């Protein structure tokens, strides 16, 4: 008998394969050559790991719930559509189930949990599009592990009692401005509400820092920084803002990539 419990990694090491390949055999996901499958099963038997049926049955017993709290359910253009499918698959392999709760504006204002959210039944919380710092503070007080994708705009300059995942926004935008400068740009504007969320605020900081480092001027006349609730997706609204500018800048840095491409602009400026 082995002195310790045999793991899937042990089987992978004995076969000279990756753990992911062994996992495919045991979870019936992905294509694995029959010869590889036979090798995995043989080594697993020798090590006393158990058959796929035995291990899958044990691993799929629910052991808890992960709550997804979101202000808006991810739409077709939102990264959350891809995130949900892969995340659900990953936590189900670990024995967890996903419960999705959409937070209403009233619940956000009153700092209330959605109906049917039972904290005692939740092992962890993932937040998407939760940009209200006070609401996040309330969630932190529940004593449940919490991870946010992005954060409120103020989070990047104040501490919160949870983890959050973000992009390398500041350095990324600075690299963009450096490339634009090298290509000859001398006036660069910014488009987006930098008070909307943490990633937008960081991109704004990166924009400001990038201009300074490359010796470019900042001129707010070439920026469109109205509230995120404004009609950014309305081409007529955007054109009206462009018309207010003394001229078009050489380039714009945008807070995100959700936009409507009009394909033209009157006055021969597009």
């Amino acid at each position: 008998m082995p002195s310790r419990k045999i793991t899937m990694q042990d089987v992978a090491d004995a076969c000279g394969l990756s753990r992911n390949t062994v996992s495919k055999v045991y979870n019936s996901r992905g294509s694995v050559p029959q010869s590889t499958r036979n090798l995995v099963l043989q080594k697993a038997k020798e090590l006393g790991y158990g058959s796929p049926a035995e291990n899958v049955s044990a691993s799929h017993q629910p052991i808890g719930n992960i709550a997804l709290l979101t202000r808006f359910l991810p739409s077709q253009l939102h990264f959350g559509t891809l995130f949900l499918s892969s995340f659900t698959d990953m936590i189900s392999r670990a024995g967890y189930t996903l419960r999705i709760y959409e937070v209403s504006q009233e619940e956000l204002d009153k700092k209330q949990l959605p109906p049917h959210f039972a904290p005692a039944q939740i092992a962890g919380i993932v937040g998407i599009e939760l940009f209200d710092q006070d609401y996040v503070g309330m969630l932190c007080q529940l004593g449940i592990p919490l991870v946010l994708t992005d954060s409120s705009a103020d989070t990047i300059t104040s501490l919160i009692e949870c983890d959050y995942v973000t992009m390398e926004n500041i350095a990324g935008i600075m690299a963009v401005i450096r490339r634009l400068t090298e290509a000859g740009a001398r006036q660069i504007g910014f488009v987006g509400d930098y008070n909307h969320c943490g990633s937008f605020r960081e991109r704004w900081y990166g924009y400001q820092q990038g201009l300074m480092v490359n010796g470019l001027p900042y001129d707010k006349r070439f920026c469109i920084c109205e509230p995120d609730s404004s009609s950014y997706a309305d081409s007529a609204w955007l054109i009206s803002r462009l018309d207010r500018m003394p001229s078009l800048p050489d380039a714009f840095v945008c807070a995100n990539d959700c936009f409507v491409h009009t394909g033209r602009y009157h006055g021969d400026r597009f």
Side-chain angles (χ1 to χ4, degrees), residues 18-77:
S18 69
R19 186 185 182 283
N20 183 54
T21 300
V22 176
S23 176
K24 289 180 180 180
V25 173
Y26 274 78
N27 292 289
S28 300
R29 293 179 180 273
S31 176
V32 178
Q34 187 60 46
S35 58
T36 301
R37 177 180 174 81
N38 292 340
L39 173 63
V40 169
L41 296 179
Q42 179 61 38
K43 287 295 183 182
K45 183 178 179 180
E46 293 174 2
L47 294 172
Y49 182 64
S51 68
E54 293 170 348
N55 285 278
V56 171
S57 176
S59 66
H60 279 70
Q61 293 298 319
I63 59 176
N65 300 303
I66 303 296
L68 172 67
L69 285 175
T70 178
R71 183 66 185 87
F72 304 103
L73 290 175
S75 65
Q76 183 178 359
L77 297 177

Side-chain angles (χ1 to χ4, degrees), residues 223-243:
C223 298
I224 305 174
C225 298
E226 296 180 57
D228 193 69
S229 57
S230 301
S231 303
Y232 282 94
D234 182 351
S235 59
W237 182 87
L238 281 175
I239 288 174
S240 71
R241 269 57 189 173
L242 296 174
D243 281 335

Side-chain angles (χ1 to χ4, degrees), residues 7-270:
T7 67
M8 189 176 291
Q9 186 63 58
D10 292 324
V11 177
D13 292 342
C15 296
L17 301 170
S18 69
R19 186 185 182 283
N20 183 54
T21 300
V22 176
S23 176
K24 289 180 180 180
V25 173
Y26 274 78
N27 292 289
S28 300
R29 293 179 180 273
S31 176
V32 178
Q34 187 60 46
S35 58
T36 301
R37 177 180 174 81
N38 292 340
L39 173 63
V40 169
L41 296 179
Q42 179 61 38
K43 287 295 183 182
K45 183 178 179 180
E46 293 174 2
L47 294 172
Y49 182 64
S51 68
E54 293 170 348
N55 285 278
V56 171
S57 176
S59 66
H60 279 70
Q61 293 298 319
I63 59 176
N65 300 303
I66 303 296
L68 172 67
L69 285 175
T70 178
R71 183 66 185 87
F72 304 103
L73 290 175
S75 65
Q76 183 178 359
L77 297 177
H78 196 280
F79 81 92
T81 55
L82 295 176
F83 166 80
L84 277 178
S85 60
S86 58
F87 181 69
T88 302
D89 179 66
M90 290 179 65
I91 65 172
S92 65
R93 292 170 182 263
Y96 292 90
T97 57
L98 183 67
R99 293 187 178 182
I100 301 178
Y101 303 88
E102 188 169 12
V103 180
S104 69
Q105 185 61 52
E106 181 179 5
E107 290 159 355
L108 199 72
D109 294 339
K110 294 182 177 180
K111 308 302 177 284
Q112 296 176 341
L113 294 168
H116 313 303
F117 185 100
Q121 300 175 5
I122 302 300
I125 301 173
V126 174
I128 294 180
E129 296 284 337
L130 292 181
F131 301 146
D132 186 298
Q133 194 165 17
D134 292 334
Y135 193 85
V136 170
M138 180 272 291
L139 294 177
C140 291
Q141 297 305 310
L142 296 176
I144 302 173
L146 170 64
V147 178
L148 303 176
T149 59
D150 210 340
S151 62
S152 71
D154 294 329
T155 299
I156 65 173
T157 54
S158 60
L159 298 177
I160 57 174
E161 297 181 5
C162 68
D163 295 316
Y164 72 95
V165 180
T166 185
M167 298 173 60
E168 182 54 83
N169 293 298
I170 296 176
I173 294 300
M174 290 183 67
V176 168
I177 292 181
R178 183 179 67 252
R179 292 288 297 275
L180 289 172
T181 304
E182 291 171 351
R186 293 296 176 264
Q187 186 70 62
I188 302 174
F190 186 91
V191 179
D193 177 10
Y194 51 79
N195 289 317
H196 175 59
C197 61
S199 60
F200 284 21
R201 178 71 65 82
E202 287 184 335
R203 291 164 193 166
W204 170 256
Y205 285 168
Y207 164 73
Q208 296 278 354
Q209 188 72 7
L211 293 181
M212 182 181 68
V213 168
N214 289 281
L216 299 181
Y218 164 67
D219 191 334
K220 66 179 181 180
R221 296 178 301 168
F222 295 100
C223 298
I224 305 174
C225 298
E226 296 180 57
D228 193 69
S229 57
S230 301
S231 303
Y232 282 94
D234 182 351
S235 59
W237 182 87
L238 281 175
I239 288 174
S240 71
R241 269 57 189 173
L242 296 174
D243 281 335
R244 298 175 183 178
M245 298 179 181
S247 62
L248 282 179
D250 298 314
F252 286 108
V253 168
C254 297
N256 70 351
D257 60 356
C258 182
F259 68 96
V260 173
H261 176 58
T262 62
R264 63 180 180 83
Y265 179 67
H266 59 78
D268 295 327
R269 292 202 286 176
F270 271 3

